[in-house]
Amino acid sequence: MKAVVYNKKAPNKLVFIEVAKPEPNDNEVLIRVMAVGLNAADYRSMRMGLIPKRKIFGADVAGFIESVGKNIRKFKVGDEVLGDLASYGFGGLAEYALAPENLLVHKPQNVAFEDAASISLAAITALQALQKKRDIGVGTRVLILGSSGGVGSFAVQLAKHFGATVTAVCSSRNMEQSRMLGADFVLDYTKQDVVKSNQKHELILAINGNYSLLGCKRLLTKDGVYVMVGGDLRQILKARLFGWFLSIGNKKMQFLAAKANQKDLEMLVKLVSEGKVKPLIEERYTLEQAPEAMQKLNQGHARGKVVINIG
């Protein structure tokens, strides 16, 4: 099969080559991959030297079940599925990928493969971060720092779905996109210092760690929650080290590493199928162009998702 494989000597550290087609064990399915959504988890893992065993990145996959192990009960050959393979060694940037059945859900017929490949990791991250405020609902004031990328675009839509009042923060070129997604207020971080605002929020979702933790804590209501879901290694360590100390009292400062969850994914896919949430795809590439796509994503400032169409 054709695949994009990590090679530290290559210009982009990724090469498009022919490799052996994997065979599922008794507890795995083999997916004929139709589309893969790229995520920060891909390039950040590569940057930190966390290379998958088979050296193939790509977590969010959508495709057909090609074959199944003898212990598989939920899926059969021909089923259309999607899922997040980050916790199972990645493997999506290839014509075929292996997965256990607990990481997959059925893909509705009215959801395109490229849309399906855009959901899993980004949407689950947004959902689990928003759920840190257990009583999120009508009137909850949510501040989203970084509303234009994959996680941010889902966060805006999901927060509005829950009835929240959303303030989105992004660059000037992405302000209209955030308004289109439903944000009530949109701030341009290039023109104003968000953490100096006097507006208070019950929930702050930080897609990156570019903002002062103390500044963000000041923006919280007396029982507010700050959740950081991304950032470079230095920012993540800072949030983990100081978050517990800053959480003394009613205001909570947390870092979230989202976990694949079948029920969460089923709910999100249902929302997409019903047209209540829409994946935003900025660019589409072929599998052969995946090294170029990864390099662009690594540069930051993506608007929505970057998808690799394989099938």
Side-chain angles (χ1 to χ4, degrees):
M1 69 174 183
K2 294 179 176 64
V4 172
V5 178
Y6 175 81
N7 183 332
K8 65 180 180 181
K9 296 181 179 179
N12 293 334
K13 300 190 184 302
L14 294 171
V15 292
F16 177 66
I17 59 173
E18 195 90 18
V19 298
K21 180 179 173 181
E23 294 291 335
N25 63 31
D26 292 346
N27 299 305
E28 294 176 324
V29 303
L30 180 66
I31 303 168
R32 170 70 171 95
V33 182
M34 301 297 288
V36 182
L38 296 184
N39 294 282
D42 293 300
Y43 67 77
R44 284 182 180 144
S45 294
M46 193 187 313
R47 199 186 289 168
M48 291 187 290
L50 303 175
I51 311 304
K53 184 177 180 180
R54 301 186 70 241
K55 299 185 177 182
I56 300 174
F57 286 96
D60 286 355
V61 301
F64 295 93
I65 299 292
E66 177 83 3
S67 60
V68 300
K70 69 178 184 180
N71 295 331
I72 300 301
R73 298 291 179 265
K74 295 181 180 178
F75 303 99
K76 64 182 185 302
V77 173
D79 283 353
E80 298 179 3
V81 297
L82 67 141
D84 168 17
L85 307 184
S87 62
Y88 202 69
F90 294 81
L93 286 174
E95 292 180 315
Y96 296 90
L98 297 172
E101 63 181 356
N102 68 307
L103 294 181
L104 303 175
V105 300
H106 287 95
K107 182 188 79 65
Q109 286 290 326
N110 69 332
V111 176
F113 280 109
E114 62 178 23
D115 285 339
S118 303
I119 299 171
S120 300
L121 204 156
I124 282 181
T125 298
L127 176 65
Q128 293 180 358
L130 291 170
Q131 289 176 334
K132 286 292 184 178
K133 186 63 178 173
R134 298 186 185 279
D135 56 349
I136 185 171
V138 177
T140 304
R141 290 165 292 179
V142 177
L143 176 65
I144 299 173
L145 301 173
S147 62
S148 60
V151 176
S153 60
F154 278 116
V156 172
Q157 296 179 80
L158 288 169
K160 289 305 299 178
H161 175 71
F162 293 137
T165 299
V166 176
T167 299
V169 179
C170 56
S171 65
S172 55
R173 80 182 187 107
N174 295 317
M175 293 178 74
E176 187 55 38
Q177 173 183 291
S178 293
R179 291 190 187 99
M180 180 193 73
L181 294 175
D184 299 282
F185 307 98
V186 184
L187 305 179
D188 181 353
Y189 70 79
T190 68
K191 296 181 179 178
Q192 67 182 102
D193 189 345
V194 178
V195 297
K196 291 184 178 179
S197 167
N198 292 320
Q199 182 66 49
K200 300 293 184 180
H201 305 272
E202 280 82 16
L203 175 65
I204 298 176
L205 173 52
I207 313 300
N208 56 55
N210 294 334
Y211 296 86
S212 159
L213 292 176
L214 281 173
C216 288
K217 183 177 181 179
R218 191 183 66 80
L219 297 179
L220 291 173
T221 57
K222 63 181 181 179
D223 60 347
V225 179
Y226 165 94
V227 186
M228 178 178 160
V229 299
D232 59 31
L233 183 59
R234 178 184 60 82
Q235 292 167 339
I236 292 171
L237 290 175
K238 183 178 176 181
R240 287 184 177 276
L241 286 172
F242 297 107
W244 69 271
F245 177 73
L246 294 174
S247 294
I248 295 174
N250 292 328
K251 297 182 181 182
K252 302 302 176 186
M253 308 289 290
Q254 304 177 1
F255 175 80
L256 171 73
K259 296 181 180 180
N261 182 293
Q262 212 167 39
K263 288 186 178 180
D264 284 349
L265 186 54
E266 285 171 347
M267 186 198 87
L268 291 163
V269 171
K270 186 173 186 290
L271 290 176
V272 172
S273 177
E274 293 173 347
K276 295 176 180 176
V277 171
K278 180 174 177 56
L280 294 185
I281 299 174
E282 179 186 23
E283 292 192 67
R284 299 160 175 83
Y285 294 82
T286 65
L287 183 59
E288 190 172 0
Q289 295 170 327
E292 173 190 343
M294 190 81 79
Q295 185 180 38
K296 175 163 184 176
L297 192 65
N298 191 16
Q299 293 169 355
H301 306 292
R303 302 172 68 179
K305 297 290 295 182
V306 174
V307 172
I308 310 299
N309 282 310
I310 300 176

